[in-house]
Amino acid sequence: MKFTHNKFNTLCAGFILTLCSLSAYAEDSKIETPMNEDQVEGRVEETKGTVKEVTGKILDDKGMEIKGNVQKNLGKAQKGYGDIKQDIKEDK
């Protein structure tokens, strides 16, 4: 598989859009209480998985795409677990 200049530009654009969306998400979410470790790690893993999945799609690498999808979903699960822990903590 040849890595063409066009694919590289598309990959860079996807990465920049991902970073911009994270920045917009951070500004929109006004969290009054700090996030716990599971919430932070889950969001990081979800983002890394999304980037890996998109990179796999752009490069036509099914293995990378699947690994990114799995990593993204594991990050979502960890984020959800952290959200539940936070809700329980706030109710006490």
Side-chain angles (χ1 to χ4, degrees), residues 69-85:
N69 191 356
V70 169
Q71 186 175 10
K72 177 180 72 173
N73 288 321
L74 287 174
K76 283 183 182 181
Q78 186 174 9
K79 179 182 71 171
Y81 173 71
D83 290 344
I84 291 170
K85 278 178 41 177

Side-chain angles (χ1 to χ4, degrees), residues 33 46 51 63 70 73 79 88 92:
T33 59
E46 184 179 357
V51 170
V70 169
N73 288 321
K79 179 182 71 171
I88 291 170
K92 289 187 177 183

Side-chain angles (χ1 to χ4, degrees), residues 18 24 40 54 59 62 82 85 91:
T18 302
V40 173
V54 169
L59 298 178
K62 291 292 182 188
K85 278 178 41 177
D91 285 341

